[in-house]
Amino acid sequence: MSRFALITADADFEHRIRLAAASLPGALQTFQANFLPASIDDVFNQLVGEPIEVLILGPDLRSDDAFKFATAVDARHPHVSLIYAAQPTPDLALAAMRSGVRDLVIPTADSESLRSHLEQAAASATSRLAAAPPIGTIGDESEHAHGRIIAVMSPKGGVGKTTIATNIAVGLGKIAPMSVVIVDLDLQFGDVASALMLNPERTILDAASGPMDSLSLKTYLAPHPTNIYALCAPRNPADADKISPDGIAELIKHLAADFQYIIIDTSPGLGEHVLATLDQASDVVWVCGMDIPSVRGLKSGLEILNELHMLPEHRHVVLNMADRRTGITLQDVEATLGVPVDVVLPRSRSLPLSTNRGVPALQDGLRDPVVKGLRKLIDRFRPQWDNRDHKQLHRRADFQ
């Protein structure tokens, strides 16, 4: 299987990519050139074996050419993860995201760092390919792979929902760089922007009322240093009335065609916008505090959605701020809910502090027991790595 392909005339970068790929399953094919052809067919028609999953563009390729090439690859081979070696800047990262580049790597990165990027890119490609509908399926939705839509919910406020949602996004950004977007659906009082220390130029109001083609949609997103993107809540709470549930549903559908993971931080309760989200969600993360009102509220929410047949396929119950001193045990919570708790996050002073700083715990390497629980939650969404044993294939070619 031709898992990886590299285009570069930079011998040192090629050597480090070879070292990185040597420890991973799959073949590596290389094209020695410091330019990109006018047509992507000039590359893909020369590949041998099965279709590639990861295409790496070297640091000697012009960024304008790389982004133009990436746009064509993303349109015709959306499962392929395209990596570009360039010194990242906010403007470059935004242009890369809009073109379809899935990851940026520092040109001087060592082979071990490059190996990690290749592994994550391959896993991301495998997940997108698995999500693609069978060939020959009829209907608009069959034209694109469908990303995983994760709704983070709680009937009650004040249980750390936004903190958990932003950490899910950051954690998944390490698995699928530049293929994760977090949407703030608390339209009146959303805090995703402050939790990620962002000051976005455009918000979900622009996205829900403007054109939603792939290129336009990406202009509404705010890039974050962790290789994720955010669609933030309106600045004016009154603008929430201008966003219809149908508009939200359409927006989510289009995001799912372009991103591997869509994390939606919903408003408390079960309003119309939340129900529109649940109608499309593949997963729901229920966040519950360790107090009686929160537990009972979640129980009622589960019962209502079950009656409406609106429970997503995958459910993840998170018990946040767990503390034995509350007088309630984990067993009490599970008995009341009637479902098991999947992840327990212990009460932590560091976690709310990280949110107040605008730096999620999984971003700054926080050392705290709660991080272990957050990583366990992330693992529930991690695509399975393909461990099949493949021989390494090294091939050189050019475009002449």
Side-chain angles (χ1 to χ4, degrees):
M1 179 181 183
S2 305
R3 196 179 192 106
F4 307 102
L6 168 67
I7 304 173
T8 188
D10 186 321
D12 179 61
F13 183 74
E14 178 187 345
H15 175 67
R16 282 178 280 127
I17 287 290
R18 286 185 179 279
L19 291 176
S23 61
L24 298 175
L28 169 67
Q29 300 182 64
T30 61
F31 297 84
Q32 288 189 318
N34 61 358
F35 65 93
L36 290 166
S39 171
I40 65 172
D41 291 337
D42 292 338
V43 174
F44 282 82
N45 288 345
Q46 294 190 59
L47 296 171
V48 298
E50 298 181 26
I52 62 168
E53 294 182 341
V54 182
L55 177 59
I56 308 106
L57 303 182
D60 49 335
L61 302 175
R62 294 178 63 251
S63 59
D64 289 346
D65 295 340
F67 296 154
K68 182 179 179 180
F69 192 83
T71 300
V73 172
D74 191 48
R76 292 177 55 185
H77 305 279
H79 76 280
V80 173
S81 292
L82 199 147
I83 299 175
Y84 179 39
Q87 198 66 36
T89 64
D91 289 342
L92 186 75
L94 186 58
M97 179 270 291
R98 290 173 178 171
S99 70
V101 171
R102 303 289 179 175
D103 195 8
L104 291 173
V105 297
I106 299 174
T108 57
D110 59 28
S111 59
E112 181 59 28
S113 175
L114 291 172
R115 187 201 65 79
S116 177
H117 283 276
L118 293 181
E119 184 174 17
Q120 291 172 358
S124 176
T126 300
S127 179
R128 286 196 300 276
L129 188 60
I135 296 175
T137 305
I138 299 174
D140 292 339
E141 293 183 2
S142 67
E143 297 178 1
H144 302 281
H146 194 275
R148 196 163 180 176
I149 301 169
I150 304 168
V152 184
M153 298 182 56
S154 174
K156 300 282 186 178
V159 296
K161 179 173 51 59
T162 298
T163 296
I164 291 172
T166 50
N167 275 284
I168 291 174
V170 169
L172 290 176
K174 298 178 181 179
I175 298 172
M178 293 187 174
S179 196
V180 177
V181 58
I182 180 170
V183 179
D184 195 340
L185 203 61
D186 191 345
L187 300 178
Q188 288 188 311
F189 305 108
D191 289 323
V192 167
S194 60
L196 293 175
M197 204 183 298
L198 293 173
N199 184 23
E201 294 181 5
R202 311 184 79 176
T203 71
I204 194 172
L205 176 64
D206 302 295
S209 58
M212 295 186 189
D213 60 278
S214 181
L215 185 60
S216 298
L217 196 61
K218 291 177 180 178
T219 65
Y220 307 128
L221 307 180
H224 188 261
T226 57
N227 287 333
I228 67 171
Y229 302 92
L231 187 54
C232 300
R235 297 180 183 86
N236 188 340
D239 287 337
D241 294 335
K242 302 176 183 178
I243 303 174
S244 69
D246 288 343
I248 291 298
E250 189 72 11
L251 175 61
I252 293 172
K253 182 179 74 173
H254 282 82
L255 287 172
D258 285 334
F259 289 88
Q260 184 177 349
Y261 294 102
I262 303 89
I263 296 88
I264 303 177
D265 183 23
T266 66
S267 59
L270 295 174
E272 289 184 321
H273 296 93
V274 175
L275 294 178
T277 299
L278 283 174
D279 198 40
Q280 298 189 63
S282 58
D283 299 75
V284 60
V285 176
W286 291 102
V287 183
C288 177
M290 208 161 187
D291 58 88
I292 292 176
S294 179
V295 176
R296 287 180 174 172
L298 178 51
K299 176 180 173 61
S300 298
L302 288 170
E303 291 174 346
I304 291 171
L305 292 177
N306 187 48
E307 292 176 3
L308 296 174
H309 303 290
M310 293 190 68
L311 284 173
E313 180 181 358
H314 304 291
R315 180 197 65 225
H316 317 271
V317 177
V318 177
L319 181 61
N320 195 23
M321 299 178 284
D323 190 341
R324 295 179 180 178
R325 293 172 296 181
T326 61
I328 302 174
T329 66
L330 172 61
Q331 291 73 23
D332 294 332
V333 173
E334 292 181 325
T336 301
L337 295 179
V339 297
V341 170
D342 300 296
V343 176
V344 177
L345 302 179
R347 184 176 294 277
S348 166
R349 293 182 179 179
S350 302
L351 192 60
L353 179 61
S354 69
T355 302
N356 292 337
R357 290 173 50 224
V359 183
L362 292 183
Q363 177 182 351
D364 66 355
L366 178 68
R367 292 187 178 183
D368 191 282
V370 75
V371 171
K372 182 178 180 181
L374 289 171
R375 288 175 177 160
K376 180 181 178 182
L377 178 59
I378 300 301
D379 285 341
R380 298 178 69 87
F381 309 108
R382 183 185 295 273
Q384 294 298 312
W385 173 252
D386 186 354
N387 288 312
R388 291 173 293 177
D389 185 23
H390 296 283
K391 295 181 179 179
Q392 293 293 321
L393 172 64
H394 301 295
R395 172 177 177 267
R396 283 188 172 90
D398 57 37
F399 302 124
Q400 300 176 353

